[in-house]
Amino acid sequence: GENVGLHLPTLSVQEGDNSIINCAYSNSASDYFIWYKQESGKGPQFIIDIRSNMDKRQGQRVTVLLNKTVKHLSLQIAATQPGDSAVYFCAEASWYNNNDMRFGAGTRLTVKP
Amino acid sequence: KAGVTQTPRYLIKTRGQQVTLSCSPISGHRSVSWYQQTPGQGLQFLFEYFSETQRNKGNFPGRFSGRQFSNSRSEMNVSTLELGDSALYLCASSLATGWESEAFFGQGTRLTVV
């Protein structure tokens, strides 16, 4: 069946560099996407979301880009800090598909001091 | 304000038994969703409750059920436990139903089935 997946399972960056985490989705009917951050021993934490009628959305140090043509989602973290080390999930939701939300496998981001 | 509280934090059960997990949402939140997280399958949506009614349901067998009380607290029940039910069960609360109402997650209940 259709699913949400991530290009890279792990990502290691130097403190202060920018990070880019990618996500591919296959359900063209998805109209809402979210990025979550999950630190060890904690539940996921909302970072930023984007609707399908947008290509880009910015938050504090984070930017989400949506390319509907190739069904690709990315999360950019500016000036990555050690506190950004965590697993990042993308999620997609579609009102057409029984409101089911599906999550990617996750990418582990490690920030080196 | 207090966050989402899940109890217990850890649980060990034997195959065939049943288990009930509890979730207390953030005060004022009326929607509670449940998720299963495993290394193999990742995070999967179980169901969502709003105003004591199940609004959405994921693709899980009928052994997985839930309910919500008038104070918005929710319980999740798994009957006839299988080894594959070992997972971290997460609860999230939000003000309203629908994916665009920001969800706040609890720390989860780690269930081990032996």
Side-chain angles (χ1 to χ4, degrees), chain B residues 60-78:
Chain B
F60 277 81
R63 299 186 298 109
F64 292 81
S65 63
R67 59 177 176 169
Q68 186 180 34
F69 302 95
S70 58
N71 62 358
S72 294
R73 190 177 70 85
S74 178
E75 289 182 345
M76 192 194 101
N77 185 275
V78 188

Side-chain angles (χ1 to χ4, degrees), chain A residues 32 38 43-44 89 93 99 103, chain B residues 35 37 43 56 99-100 105-106:
Chain A
Y32 182 59
Q38 187 172 22
F89 300 93
N99 296 337
F103 297 82
Chain B
Y35 301 83
Q37 187 173 37
L43 198 59
N56 297 298
W99 301 122
E100 296 185 35
F105 284 81

Side-chain angles (χ1 to χ4, degrees), chain A:
Chain A
E2 295 181 306
N3 58 70
V4 176
L6 289 168
H7 291 309
L8 298 173
T10 62
L11 177 64
S12 183
V13 300
Q14 204 69 38
E15 181 178 359
D17 287 353
N18 296 333
S19 302
I20 299 176
I21 301 171
N22 297 302
C23 178
Y25 67 96
S26 56
N27 185 0
S28 56
S30 293
D31 51 17
Y32 182 59
F33 304 87
I34 307 173
W35 280 100
Y36 288 98
K37 171 187 179 183
Q38 187 172 22
E39 297 175 270
S40 181
K42 297 183 179 180
Q45 178 186 1
F46 172 94
I47 300 173
I48 192 168
D49 60 358
I50 189 168
R51 298 193 67 179
S52 60
N53 61 353
M54 301 172 69
D55 297 322
K56 178 179 179 179
R57 191 166 187 217
Q58 288 184 291
Q60 188 176 17
R61 284 200 306 118
V62 295
T63 301
V64 56
L65 298 177
L66 176 62
N67 185 329
K68 294 180 288 295
T69 302
V70 296
K71 300 189 188 71
H72 184 267
L73 191 69
S74 69
L75 176 70
Q76 299 178 1
I77 304 174
T80 314
Q81 302 168 0
D84 295 328
S85 293
V87 175
Y88 290 81
F89 300 93
C90 64
E92 63 167 327
S94 167
W95 289 106
Y96 174 79
N97 190 19
N98 296 318
N99 296 337
D100 188 12
M101 174 169 280
R102 287 165 291 167
F103 297 82
T107 291
R108 181 173 298 281
L109 174 66
T110 301
V111 182
K112 296 177 287 186

